[in-house]
């Protein structure tokens, strides 16, 4: 009986690990820098994230004025990401995890498209 519980726990951990990874097997959690401007996206554990359009190279997100930081949430399914709270007007932003680990958040109704690379 103990073996079955241990095996079930190992499977649950494996499934959770897959859910938090994108293509290529690396975790999507981390700090990403936008290629189209002064933007930063910090994807944290447990579905939390931070976003700012006021990032300057070399700056820590914690050093930004809190009015310039937007709290958001994220989910991942396979290589598809969904963010809530990135745009002021509400709604979600859809994106994908590329094979190289970058995030593609293409142009959408309330979002200007951008590629984010992990720093």
């Amino acid at each position: 009986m103990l073996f079955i519980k241990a095996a079930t726990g190992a499977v649950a951990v494996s499934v959770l690990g897959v859910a938090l990874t994108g293509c290529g097997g690396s975790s999507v959690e981390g700090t990403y820098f936008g290629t189209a401007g002064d933007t930063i996206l910090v994807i944290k554990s447990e579905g939390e994230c931070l976003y700012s359009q006021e990032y300057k190279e070399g700056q820590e997100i914690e050093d930004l004025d809190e009015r310039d930081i937007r709290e958001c949430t994220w989910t991942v399914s396979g290589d598809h990401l969904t963010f809530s709270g990135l745009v002021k007007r509400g709604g979600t932003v859809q994106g994908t995890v590329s094979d190289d680990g970058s995030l593609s958040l293409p142009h959408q109704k309330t979002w200007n498209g951008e590629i984010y690379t992990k720093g």
Side-chain angles (χ1 to χ4, degrees):
M1 185 69 139
L2 183 58
F3 174 75
I4 293 171
K5 287 184 180 179
T8 304
V11 170
V13 169
S14 296
V15 170
L16 180 59
V18 169
L20 293 175
T21 60
C23 296
S26 63
S27 173
V28 296
E29 294 175 15
T31 301
Y32 292 82
F33 302 95
T35 56
D38 296 330
T39 58
I40 187 171
L41 176 61
V42 179
I43 300 177
K44 301 161 84 175
S45 64
E46 300 181 21
E48 297 178 357
C49 56
L50 301 171
Y51 173 76
S52 179
Q53 295 177 321
E54 304 299 325
Y55 173 77
K56 304 295 181 229
E57 188 174 342
Q59 191 174 29
E60 297 291 329
I61 196 162
E62 294 83 14
D63 295 336
L64 292 170
D65 188 313
E66 65 182 49
R67 293 174 294 181
D68 295 329
I69 300 172
R70 195 167 302 135
E71 292 182 1
C72 52
T73 59
W74 64 276
T75 58
V76 64
S77 177
D79 65 349
H80 298 285
L81 288 164
T82 301
F83 293 94
S84 296
L86 285 184
V87 292
K88 290 181 182 179
R89 297 177 218 68
T92 61
V93 174
Q94 305 290 321
T96 57
V97 180
S98 301
D99 288 338
D100 65 2
S102 64
L103 307 180
S104 174
L105 303 179
H107 185 76
Q108 295 163 52
K109 185 176 180 181
T110 58
W111 179 262
N112 292 327
E114 192 161 10
I115 303 292
Y116 288 83
T117 55
K118 200 170 193 177

